[in-house]
Amino acid sequence: MKIFPLTLIPNDTKIDFMRLRMVSLFVAILIALAAVGAIATKGFNFALDFTGGVGVELHFNTPPGVDAVRDRLTAAGFESAQVQTYGTGSDLLIRLQDNGEHAAQTGNVSGAQGNGEAAAAGIAQQIAKAASTPDNQAEVRSSSVISAQVGRDLAKNAAMAMAFVIIGFMAYIAFRFEWKFAVAAILTTLHDVLVVAGFFAFTQREFDLTLMAGLLTVMGFSINDTIVVFDRVRENFRTMRADPLTVLNTSINQTLSRTIITSFVAFLTGLALYIYGGGSLEGMAMSQMLGIVIGTLSSIFVACTLLTYGPLKVTKQDLLPKAKDEAALARRP
């Protein structure tokens, strides 16, 4: 019995995705090259998390509203200030990527990093003045210089985390399936992450730790969707007597409804985060939404396509279940 809301697309669709595999692969490579070009020519607009700057803690008599404070700071010339609450709603933490201009406003022309805490204190007073309203004055609780060394350490740790994830994915997929599947899944995942990163390089939106977290989320979503398709490929070769192209095509069609429904629900989560999460989470939400769209398309058009070319081309022997998996597959409904 099929319930309409749970079966968006019938399982017996006959869309010939493999007929489009050359076009799909060409478009994927073209988009990836465009992303690489954007990263190489424009680079990333790294936020204070990676470059260093000034951190200021303010206290207000009544909760001022994060978005309202951010708008007042932007109007005063403190663009891209990161504003977030901590403790109660009356306490705000403001982080500002200093380029010397704001320090010059306080009489310290060499920038916050050169003048240390004195320049940070002067900038903090400017921020407090800009953030205050006549009926809700801001009080500076503390100010400090955030070293660029911290940013370098964060970038190093983020790169190590991404490398750890990639190695873990490859080991898991190679153990569960076969090395060709592992390579195809990682190439698909890296393609998705590269496209999302290229988008942020092209638009020059700030690249901070929340956006980095969004990229790691994209990796997790993309690899999960790809594994679902590969799992169906393996199961189909247990029951189907057909050539690899037919098996791959049938597997994509059978998981199409599940892929679209899962992606749609996940996209709604990212959209809610974008609408209601505030400015500090916009980058993360955008990376998730874009990654979900790209990851869904790559799972349908790219992942299995890679298994039809060159050294990654699968054969019947590759897709046959291993002996140790036969008992587990037989128990599945």
PDB file of all heavy atoms in Angstrom, residues 263-298:
ATOM      1  N   SER A 263      16.167  15.379   1.044  1.00  0.00           N
ATOM      2  CA  SER A 263      16.821  16.652   0.737  1.00  0.00           C
ATOM      3  C   SER A 263      15.882  17.829   0.991  1.00  0.00           C
ATOM      4  O   SER A 263      16.307  18.872   1.495  1.00  0.00           O
ATOM      5  CB  SER A 263      17.288  16.664  -0.722  1.00  0.00           C
ATOM      6  OG  SER A 263      18.202  15.612  -0.962  1.00  0.00           O
ATOM      7  N   PHE A 264      14.615  17.661   0.655  1.00  0.00           N
ATOM      8  CA  PHE A 264      13.653  18.745   0.852  1.00  0.00           C
ATOM      9  C   PHE A 264      13.482  19.061   2.326  1.00  0.00           C
ATOM     10  O   PHE A 264      13.476  20.238   2.731  1.00  0.00           O
ATOM     11  CB  PHE A 264      12.311  18.363   0.230  1.00  0.00           C
ATOM     12  CG  PHE A 264      11.225  19.388   0.431  1.00  0.00           C
ATOM     13  CD1 PHE A 264      11.260  20.597  -0.238  1.00  0.00           C
ATOM     14  CD2 PHE A 264      10.179  19.146   1.311  1.00  0.00           C
ATOM     15  CE1 PHE A 264      10.266  21.555  -0.045  1.00  0.00           C
ATOM     16  CE2 PHE A 264       9.184  20.086   1.511  1.00  0.00           C
ATOM     17  CZ  PHE A 264       9.228  21.288   0.831  1.00  0.00           C
ATOM     18  N   VAL A 265      13.365  18.026   3.148  1.00  0.00           N
ATOM     19  CA  VAL A 265      13.207  18.245   4.588  1.00  0.00           C
ATOM     20  C   VAL A 265      14.468  18.890   5.172  1.00  0.00           C
ATOM     21  O   VAL A 265      14.389  19.814   5.989  1.00  0.00           O
ATOM     22  CB  VAL A 265      12.892  16.916   5.300  1.00  0.00           C
ATOM     23  CG1 VAL A 265      12.876  17.110   6.816  1.00  0.00           C
ATOM     24  CG2 VAL A 265      11.547  16.367   4.837  1.00  0.00           C
ATOM     25  N   ALA A 266      15.636  18.408   4.746  1.00  0.00           N
ATOM     26  CA  ALA A 266      16.884  18.996   5.229  1.00  0.00           C
ATOM     27  C   ALA A 266      17.019  20.447   4.778  1.00  0.00           C
ATOM     28  O   ALA A 266      17.506  21.309   5.530  1.00  0.00           O
ATOM     29  CB  ALA A 266      18.072  18.177   4.728  1.00  0.00           C
ATOM     30  N   PHE A 267      16.572  20.729   3.563  1.00  0.00           N
ATOM     31  CA  PHE A 267      16.628  22.111   3.058  1.00  0.00           C
ATOM     32  C   PHE A 267      15.743  23.025   3.892  1.00  0.00           C
ATOM     33  O   PHE A 267      16.110  24.185   4.163  1.00  0.00           O
ATOM     34  CB  PHE A 267      16.192  22.143   1.593  1.00  0.00           C
ATOM     35  CG  PHE A 267      16.319  23.499   0.946  1.00  0.00           C
ATOM     36  CD1 PHE A 267      17.502  23.878   0.347  1.00  0.00           C
ATOM     37  CD2 PHE A 267      15.255  24.385   0.942  1.00  0.00           C
ATOM     38  CE1 PHE A 267      17.623  25.123  -0.249  1.00  0.00           C
ATOM     39  CE2 PHE A 267      15.364  25.631   0.355  1.00  0.00           C
ATOM     40  CZ  PHE A 267      16.562  26.008  -0.247  1.00  0.00           C
ATOM     41  N   LEU A 268      14.581  22.540   4.312  1.00  0.00           N
ATOM     42  CA  LEU A 268      13.697  23.342   5.160  1.00  0.00           C
ATOM     43  C   LEU A 268      14.379  23.687   6.477  1.00  0.00           C
ATOM     44  O   LEU A 268      14.200  24.785   7.017  1.00  0.00           O
ATOM     45  CB  LEU A 268      12.390  22.592   5.416  1.00  0.00           C
ATOM     46  CG  LEU A 268      11.432  22.447   4.227  1.00  0.00           C
ATOM     47  CD1 LEU A 268      10.187  21.684   4.655  1.00  0.00           C
ATOM     48  CD2 LEU A 268      11.055  23.810   3.658  1.00  0.00           C
ATOM     49  N   THR A 269      15.161  22.759   7.017  1.00  0.00           N
ATOM     50  CA  THR A 269      15.890  23.030   8.254  1.00  0.00           C
ATOM     51  C   THR A 269      16.897  24.158   8.053  1.00  0.00           C
ATOM     52  O   THR A 269      17.002  25.073   8.873  1.00  0.00           O
ATOM     53  CB  THR A 269      16.614  21.763   8.726  1.00  0.00           C
ATOM     54  OG1 THR A 269      15.670  20.703   8.893  1.00  0.00           O
ATOM     55  CG2 THR A 269      17.332  22.009  10.041  1.00  0.00           C
ATOM     56  N   GLY A 270      17.648  24.087   6.947  1.00  0.00           N
ATOM     57  CA  GLY A 270      18.597  25.153   6.651  1.00  0.00           C
ATOM     58  C   GLY A 270      17.910  26.486   6.397  1.00  0.00           C
ATOM     59  O   GLY A 270      18.410  27.545   6.798  1.00  0.00           O
ATOM     60  N   LEU A 271      16.748  26.439   5.744  1.00  0.00           N
ATOM     61  CA  LEU A 271      16.008  27.664   5.471  1.00  0.00           C
ATOM     62  C   LEU A 271      15.517  28.311   6.764  1.00  0.00           C
ATOM     63  O   LEU A 271      15.580  29.542   6.923  1.00  0.00           O
ATOM     64  CB  LEU A 271      14.820  27.356   4.552  1.00  0.00           C
ATOM     65  CG  LEU A 271      13.950  28.544   4.135  1.00  0.00           C
ATOM     66  CD1 LEU A 271      14.771  29.553   3.342  1.00  0.00           C
ATOM     67  CD2 LEU A 271      12.750  28.069   3.309  1.00  0.00           C
ATOM     68  N   ALA A 272      15.033  27.489   7.699  1.00  0.00           N
ATOM     69  CA  ALA A 272      14.595  28.023   8.993  1.00  0.00           C
ATOM     70  C   ALA A 272      15.764  28.652   9.745  1.00  0.00           C
ATOM     71  O   ALA A 272      15.629  29.708  10.370  1.00  0.00           O
ATOM     72  CB  ALA A 272      13.963  26.903   9.824  1.00  0.00           C
ATOM     73  N   LEU A 273      16.928  28.011   9.662  1.00  0.00           N
ATOM     74  CA  LEU A 273      18.119  28.563  10.310  1.00  0.00           C
ATOM     75  C   LEU A 273      18.526  29.881   9.676  1.00  0.00           C
ATOM     76  O   LEU A 273      18.951  30.812  10.363  1.00  0.00           O
ATOM     77  CB  LEU A 273      19.265  27.557  10.205  1.00  0.00           C
ATOM     78  CG  LEU A 273      20.535  27.853  11.007  1.00  0.00           C
ATOM     79  CD1 LEU A 273      20.241  27.834  12.491  1.00  0.00           C
ATOM     80  CD2 LEU A 273      21.618  26.830  10.675  1.00  0.00           C
ATOM     81  N   TYR A 274      18.357  29.983   8.362  1.00  0.00           N
ATOM     82  CA  TYR A 274      18.706  31.222   7.665  1.00  0.00           C
ATOM     83  C   TYR A 274      17.760  32.356   8.028  1.00  0.00           C
ATOM     84  O   TYR A 274      18.175  33.505   8.212  1.00  0.00           O
ATOM     85  CB  TYR A 274      18.675  30.972   6.154  1.00  0.00           C
ATOM     86  CG  TYR A 274      18.988  32.196   5.321  1.00  0.00           C
ATOM     87  CD1 TYR A 274      20.300  32.578   5.104  1.00  0.00           C
ATOM     88  CD2 TYR A 274      17.968  32.960   4.751  1.00  0.00           C
ATOM     89  CE1 TYR A 274      20.601  33.695   4.340  1.00  0.00           C
ATOM     90  CE2 TYR A 274      18.262  34.076   3.987  1.00  0.00           C
ATOM     91  CZ  TYR A 274      19.578  34.446   3.785  1.00  0.00           C
ATOM     92  OH  TYR A 274      19.863  35.563   3.052  1.00  0.00           O
ATOM     93  N   ILE A 275      16.468  32.040   8.160  1.00  0.00           N
ATOM     94  CA  ILE A 275      15.473  33.076   8.430  1.00  0.00           C
ATOM     95  C   ILE A 275      15.498  33.519   9.886  1.00  0.00           C
ATOM     96  O   ILE A 275      15.448  34.718  10.191  1.00  0.00           O
ATOM     97  CB  ILE A 275      14.069  32.574   8.050  1.00  0.00           C
ATOM     98  CG1 ILE A 275      13.983  32.316   6.537  1.00  0.00           C
ATOM     99  CG2 ILE A 275      12.998  33.584   8.463  1.00  0.00           C
ATOM    100  CD1 ILE A 275      12.673  31.690   6.097  1.00  0.00           C
ATOM    101  N   TYR A 276      15.603  32.555  10.790  1.00  0.00           N
ATOM    102  CA  TYR A 276      15.450  32.866  12.209  1.00  0.00           C
ATOM    103  C   TYR A 276      16.750  32.784  13.002  1.00  0.00           C
ATOM    104  O   TYR A 276      16.754  33.120  14.190  1.00  0.00           O
ATOM    105  CB  TYR A 276      14.430  31.909  12.844  1.00  0.00           C
ATOM    106  CG  TYR A 276      13.066  31.983  12.208  1.00  0.00           C
ATOM    107  CD1 TYR A 276      12.600  30.951  11.405  1.00  0.00           C
ATOM    108  CD2 TYR A 276      12.242  33.087  12.407  1.00  0.00           C
ATOM    109  CE1 TYR A 276      11.350  31.010  10.806  1.00  0.00           C
ATOM    110  CE2 TYR A 276      10.992  33.165  11.810  1.00  0.00           C
ATOM    111  CZ  TYR A 276      10.555  32.113  11.017  1.00  0.00           C
ATOM    112  OH  TYR A 276       9.323  32.186  10.432  1.00  0.00           O
ATOM    113  N   GLY A 277      17.839  32.360  12.387  1.00  0.00           N
ATOM    114  CA  GLY A 277      19.082  32.182  13.133  1.00  0.00           C
ATOM    115  C   GLY A 277      19.883  33.444  13.342  1.00  0.00           C
ATOM    116  O   GLY A 277      20.845  33.442  14.104  1.00  0.00           O
ATOM    117  N   GLY A 278      19.524  34.530  12.678  1.00  0.00           N
ATOM    118  CA  GLY A 278      20.272  35.773  12.834  1.00  0.00           C
ATOM    119  C   GLY A 278      21.460  35.842  11.882  1.00  0.00           C
ATOM    120  O   GLY A 278      21.843  34.866  11.233  1.00  0.00           O
ATOM    121  N   GLY A 279      22.070  37.009  11.832  1.00  0.00           N
ATOM    122  CA  GLY A 279      23.159  37.248  10.899  1.00  0.00           C
ATOM    123  C   GLY A 279      24.378  36.382  11.137  1.00  0.00           C
ATOM    124  O   GLY A 279      25.100  36.047  10.197  1.00  0.00           O
ATOM    125  N   SER A 280      24.640  36.009  12.397  1.00  0.00           N
ATOM    126  CA  SER A 280      25.838  35.232  12.692  1.00  0.00           C
ATOM    127  C   SER A 280      25.777  33.816  12.134  1.00  0.00           C
ATOM    128  O   SER A 280      26.811  33.163  11.989  1.00  0.00           O
ATOM    129  CB  SER A 280      26.060  35.178  14.208  1.00  0.00           C
ATOM    130  OG  SER A 280      24.951  34.582  14.855  1.00  0.00           O
ATOM    131  N   LEU A 281      24.577  33.328  11.820  1.00  0.00           N
ATOM    132  CA  LEU A 281      24.423  31.966  11.303  1.00  0.00           C
ATOM    133  C   LEU A 281      24.045  31.935   9.827  1.00  0.00           C
ATOM    134  O   LEU A 281      23.776  30.861   9.286  1.00  0.00           O
ATOM    135  CB  LEU A 281      23.371  31.206  12.118  1.00  0.00           C
ATOM    136  CG  LEU A 281      23.695  30.947  13.589  1.00  0.00           C
ATOM    137  CD1 LEU A 281      22.549  30.210  14.260  1.00  0.00           C
ATOM    138  CD2 LEU A 281      24.986  30.144  13.724  1.00  0.00           C
ATOM    139  N   GLU A 282      24.014  33.096   9.178  1.00  0.00           N
ATOM    140  CA  GLU A 282      23.622  33.134   7.772  1.00  0.00           C
ATOM    141  C   GLU A 282      24.562  32.316   6.890  1.00  0.00           C
ATOM    142  O   GLU A 282      24.130  31.583   6.002  1.00  0.00           O
ATOM    143  CB  GLU A 282      23.579  34.587   7.278  1.00  0.00           C
ATOM    144  CG  GLU A 282      22.280  35.308   7.599  1.00  0.00           C
ATOM    145  CD  GLU A 282      22.204  36.650   6.904  1.00  0.00           C
ATOM    146  OE1 GLU A 282      23.118  36.959   6.105  1.00  0.00           O
ATOM    147  OE2 GLU A 282      21.245  37.387   7.156  1.00  0.00           O
ATOM    148  N   GLY A 283      25.866  32.470   7.126  1.00  0.00           N
ATOM    149  CA  GLY A 283      26.833  31.752   6.310  1.00  0.00           C
ATOM    150  C   GLY A 283      26.671  30.249   6.433  1.00  0.00           C
ATOM    151  O   GLY A 283      26.710  29.519   5.437  1.00  0.00           O
ATOM    152  N   MET A 284      26.487  29.774   7.645  1.00  0.00           N
ATOM    153  CA  MET A 284      26.300  28.343   7.864  1.00  0.00           C
ATOM    154  C   MET A 284      25.031  27.847   7.187  1.00  0.00           C
ATOM    155  O   MET A 284      25.025  26.799   6.528  1.00  0.00           O
ATOM    156  CB  MET A 284      26.242  28.057   9.366  1.00  0.00           C
ATOM    157  CG  MET A 284      26.040  26.596   9.710  1.00  0.00           C
ATOM    158  SD  MET A 284      26.047  26.323  11.491  1.00  0.00           S
ATOM    159  CE  MET A 284      25.850  24.529  11.544  1.00  0.00           C
ATOM    160  N   ALA A 285      23.938  28.605   7.336  1.00  0.00           N
ATOM    161  CA  ALA A 285      22.663  28.203   6.735  1.00  0.00           C
ATOM    162  C   ALA A 285      22.761  28.196   5.213  1.00  0.00           C
ATOM    163  O   ALA A 285      22.261  27.273   4.551  1.00  0.00           O
ATOM    164  CB  ALA A 285      21.553  29.137   7.195  1.00  0.00           C
ATOM    165  N   MET A 286      23.402  29.214   4.647  1.00  0.00           N
ATOM    166  CA  MET A 286      23.543  29.270   3.188  1.00  0.00           C
ATOM    167  C   MET A 286      24.382  28.113   2.668  1.00  0.00           C
ATOM    168  O   MET A 286      24.054  27.512   1.635  1.00  0.00           O
ATOM    169  CB  MET A 286      24.160  30.605   2.773  1.00  0.00           C
ATOM    170  CG  MET A 286      23.239  31.793   2.897  1.00  0.00           C
ATOM    171  SD  MET A 286      23.981  33.292   2.224  1.00  0.00           S
ATOM    172  CE  MET A 286      24.140  32.855   0.495  1.00  0.00           C
ATOM    173  N   SER A 287      25.466  27.798   3.365  1.00  0.00           N
ATOM    174  CA  SER A 287      26.308  26.687   2.928  1.00  0.00           C
ATOM    175  C   SER A 287      25.539  25.369   2.991  1.00  0.00           C
ATOM    176  O   SER A 287      25.692  24.515   2.112  1.00  0.00           O
ATOM    177  CB  SER A 287      27.571  26.610   3.784  1.00  0.00           C
ATOM    178  OG  SER A 287      27.259  26.301   5.134  1.00  0.00           O
ATOM    179  N   GLN A 288      24.710  25.206   4.020  1.00  0.00           N
ATOM    180  CA  GLN A 288      23.927  23.985   4.132  1.00  0.00           C
ATOM    181  C   GLN A 288      22.890  23.882   3.017  1.00  0.00           C
ATOM    182  O   GLN A 288      22.744  22.825   2.391  1.00  0.00           O
ATOM    183  CB  GLN A 288      23.242  23.925   5.496  1.00  0.00           C
ATOM    184  CG  GLN A 288      24.187  23.664   6.649  1.00  0.00           C
ATOM    185  CD  GLN A 288      23.482  23.630   7.988  1.00  0.00           C
ATOM    186  OE1 GLN A 288      22.363  24.128   8.127  1.00  0.00           O
ATOM    187  NE2 GLN A 288      24.118  23.070   8.990  1.00  0.00           N
ATOM    188  N   MET A 289      22.167  24.968   2.762  1.00  0.00           N
ATOM    189  CA  MET A 289      21.144  24.924   1.720  1.00  0.00           C
ATOM    190  C   MET A 289      21.758  24.671   0.347  1.00  0.00           C
ATOM    191  O   MET A 289      21.276  23.833  -0.425  1.00  0.00           O
ATOM    192  CB  MET A 289      20.337  26.229   1.720  1.00  0.00           C
ATOM    193  CG  MET A 289      19.433  26.409   2.920  1.00  0.00           C
ATOM    194  SD  MET A 289      18.317  27.820   2.768  1.00  0.00           S
ATOM    195  CE  MET A 289      19.491  29.190   2.802  1.00  0.00           C
ATOM    196  N   LEU A 290      22.830  25.396   0.035  1.00  0.00           N
ATOM    197  CA  LEU A 290      23.489  25.198  -1.255  1.00  0.00           C
ATOM    198  C   LEU A 290      24.079  23.796  -1.355  1.00  0.00           C
ATOM    199  O   LEU A 290      23.985  23.134  -2.391  1.00  0.00           O
ATOM    200  CB  LEU A 290      24.584  26.253  -1.448  1.00  0.00           C
ATOM    201  CG  LEU A 290      25.330  26.231  -2.781  1.00  0.00           C
ATOM    202  CD1 LEU A 290      24.367  26.435  -3.935  1.00  0.00           C
ATOM    203  CD2 LEU A 290      26.420  27.294  -2.803  1.00  0.00           C
ATOM    204  N   GLY A 291      24.670  23.325  -0.247  1.00  0.00           N
ATOM    205  CA  GLY A 291      25.252  21.993  -0.245  1.00  0.00           C
ATOM    206  C   GLY A 291      24.224  20.904  -0.421  1.00  0.00           C
ATOM    207  O   GLY A 291      24.484  19.884  -1.064  1.00  0.00           O
ATOM    208  N   ILE A 292      23.037  21.096   0.164  1.00  0.00           N
ATOM    209  CA  ILE A 292      21.968  20.103   0.018  1.00  0.00           C
ATOM    210  C   ILE A 292      21.529  20.008  -1.436  1.00  0.00           C
ATOM    211  O   ILE A 292      21.336  18.910  -1.978  1.00  0.00           O
ATOM    212  CB  ILE A 292      20.788  20.461   0.931  1.00  0.00           C
ATOM    213  CG1 ILE A 292      21.156  20.190   2.392  1.00  0.00           C
ATOM    214  CG2 ILE A 292      19.526  19.677   0.549  1.00  0.00           C
ATOM    215  CD1 ILE A 292      20.161  20.745   3.388  1.00  0.00           C
ATOM    216  N   VAL A 293      21.370  21.158  -2.098  1.00  0.00           N
ATOM    217  CA  VAL A 293      20.965  21.157  -3.507  1.00  0.00           C
ATOM    218  C   VAL A 293      22.038  20.498  -4.374  1.00  0.00           C
ATOM    219  O   VAL A 293      21.749  19.608  -5.189  1.00  0.00           O
ATOM    220  CB  VAL A 293      20.681  22.591  -3.987  1.00  0.00           C
ATOM    221  CG1 VAL A 293      20.410  22.606  -5.488  1.00  0.00           C
ATOM    222  CG2 VAL A 293      19.496  23.180  -3.233  1.00  0.00           C
ATOM    223  N   ILE A 294      23.294  20.926  -4.202  1.00  0.00           N
ATOM    224  CA  ILE A 294      24.385  20.365  -5.001  1.00  0.00           C
ATOM    225  C   ILE A 294      24.578  18.882  -4.683  1.00  0.00           C
ATOM    226  O   ILE A 294      24.780  18.054  -5.578  1.00  0.00           O
ATOM    227  CB  ILE A 294      25.691  21.145  -4.739  1.00  0.00           C
ATOM    228  CG1 ILE A 294      25.535  22.615  -5.158  1.00  0.00           C
ATOM    229  CG2 ILE A 294      26.845  20.503  -5.503  1.00  0.00           C
ATOM    230  CD1 ILE A 294      25.260  22.814  -6.617  1.00  0.00           C
ATOM    231  N   GLY A 295      24.503  18.529  -3.389  1.00  0.00           N
ATOM    232  CA  GLY A 295      24.690  17.141  -3.000  1.00  0.00           C
ATOM    233  C   GLY A 295      23.607  16.227  -3.555  1.00  0.00           C
ATOM    234  O   GLY A 295      23.883  15.086  -3.954  1.00  0.00           O
ATOM    235  N   THR A 296      22.378  16.717  -3.598  1.00  0.00           N
ATOM    236  CA  THR A 296      21.284  15.918  -4.162  1.00  0.00           C
ATOM    237  C   THR A 296      21.500  15.674  -5.645  1.00  0.00           C
ATOM    238  O   THR A 296      21.360  14.547  -6.141  1.00  0.00           O
ATOM    239  CB  THR A 296      19.945  16.634  -3.941  1.00  0.00           C
ATOM    240  OG1 THR A 296      19.736  16.832  -2.539  1.00  0.00           O
ATOM    241  CG2 THR A 296      18.792  15.820  -4.509  1.00  0.00           C
ATOM    242  N   LEU A 297      21.853  16.725  -6.366  1.00  0.00           N
ATOM    243  CA  LEU A 297      22.081  16.587  -7.807  1.00  0.00           C
ATOM    244  C   LEU A 297      23.272  15.671  -8.107  1.00  0.00           C
ATOM    245  O   LEU A 297      23.226  14.859  -9.032  1.00  0.00           O
ATOM    246  CB  LEU A 297      22.305  17.962  -8.428  1.00  0.00           C
ATOM    247  CG  LEU A 297      21.100  18.911  -8.416  1.00  0.00           C
ATOM    248  CD1 LEU A 297      21.491  20.282  -8.963  1.00  0.00           C
ATOM    249  CD2 LEU A 297      19.942  18.333  -9.224  1.00  0.00           C
ATOM    250  N   SER A 298      24.334  15.794  -7.298  1.00  0.00           N
ATOM    251  CA  SER A 298      25.505  14.951  -7.546  1.00  0.00           C
ATOM    252  C   SER A 298      25.227  13.489  -7.222  1.00  0.00           C
ATOM    253  O   SER A 298      25.758  12.592  -7.882  1.00  0.00           O
ATOM    254  CB  SER A 298      26.697  15.459  -6.724  1.00  0.00           C
ATOM    255  OG  SER A 298      26.459  15.293  -5.328  1.00  0.00           O
TER     256      SER A 298
END
